[in-house]
Amino acid sequence: MTPAEMEALIETHMEAERIGDAELAVSMYSEDIEHDAVGWPGGPAYGIPAARERYLQLLKDFRSEKDERTHTYYSENGATVEDLITGVVPGSLLGIPGNNRRVTFRMLHVFEFKDGKIARENVWLDGAAIAAQLTAPEQASEQAPR
C-alpha cells in the first residue's frame, strides 16, 4: 500500500475515535483484525466483534477532545503514528477512575495493513502520565482565604 492509502484508513479510523463512532472505527479493519492495546485487561482483541466491544467500552470511558500528530513513519505494509492525545475520562482508564478529569498523554500506534484494510493495530500509551494525572489531588478553583 502507498502511504496515501494507509493515511486515508488511519485518518478515517482516528476521526471515528474522535467523534465516538465505534462502527466507523472498526469498518477500517480486516475481518481478522488484531487490536492490541498493550497492558489492556484481557490482552489483544481478535476479530471485528471483539474490537467493536473494546471500542464501545473505550468510548464510554474516554472522550477524545484533541489529537495532535507528532510523527509518522511508513513502511511497505505498515505505519507508525505518534500522537499527543487530550480527552476527558468520565469512566476509568487503566483501571483508575477518571471522575471527568482531563488528561493529556502520548500514544503510539503501530498499524499493519493487508488487502486495503488495517489488519493489526498495536497501541502504546504513556500509562505513567495518565496515572499521574488521574491520581493527582484536585486543584482548587479559588485561592483559600488568608
Side-chain angles (χ1 to χ4, degrees):
M1 291 181 68
T2 68
E5 291 168 328
M6 291 180 216
E7 193 58 42
L9 290 170
I10 292 168
E11 188 51 41
T12 299
H13 176 72
M14 299 298 283
E15 177 63 18
E17 289 183 15
R18 281 189 291 273
I19 64 172
D21 188 336
E23 288 303 320
L24 180 58
V26 299
S27 73
M28 302 296 106
Y29 287 162
S30 64
E31 290 297 322
D32 61 345
I33 182 68
E34 176 185 341
H35 185 275
D36 183 11
V38 175
W40 207 263
Y46 296 96
I48 289 178
R52 180 184 299 110
E53 288 304 311
R54 177 167 284 170
Y55 273 103
L56 290 171
Q57 185 62 50
L58 175 63
L59 294 171
K60 288 179 188 174
D61 290 335
F62 181 75
R63 285 192 322 265
S64 181
E65 295 179 333
K66 178 182 174 187
D67 62 274
E68 176 186 339
R69 176 101 46 112
T70 57
H71 297 90
T72 306
Y73 306 96
Y74 300 101
S75 62
E76 185 174 338
N77 287 308
T80 302
V81 176
E82 183 181 350
D83 291 294
L84 186 62
I85 306 291
T86 299
V88 174
V89 186
S92 65
L93 195 55
L94 303 178
I96 304 168
N99 300 311
N100 287 309
R101 284 189 167 191
R102 179 168 285 106
V103 294
T104 298
F105 57 94
R106 291 172 57 198
M107 179 184 290
L108 187 72
H109 286 90
V110 180
F111 293 99
E112 293 178 26
F113 301 90
K114 177 177 73 175
D115 300 326
K117 294 280 192 173
I118 299 169
R120 183 170 189 269
E121 181 180 6
N122 182 242
V123 181
W124 299 79
L125 307 170
D126 184 350
I130 293 168
Q133 292 171 73
L134 292 180
T135 59
E138 295 272 354
Q139 296 294 318
S141 58
E142 297 180 43
Q143 281 188 331
R146 294 180 189 226

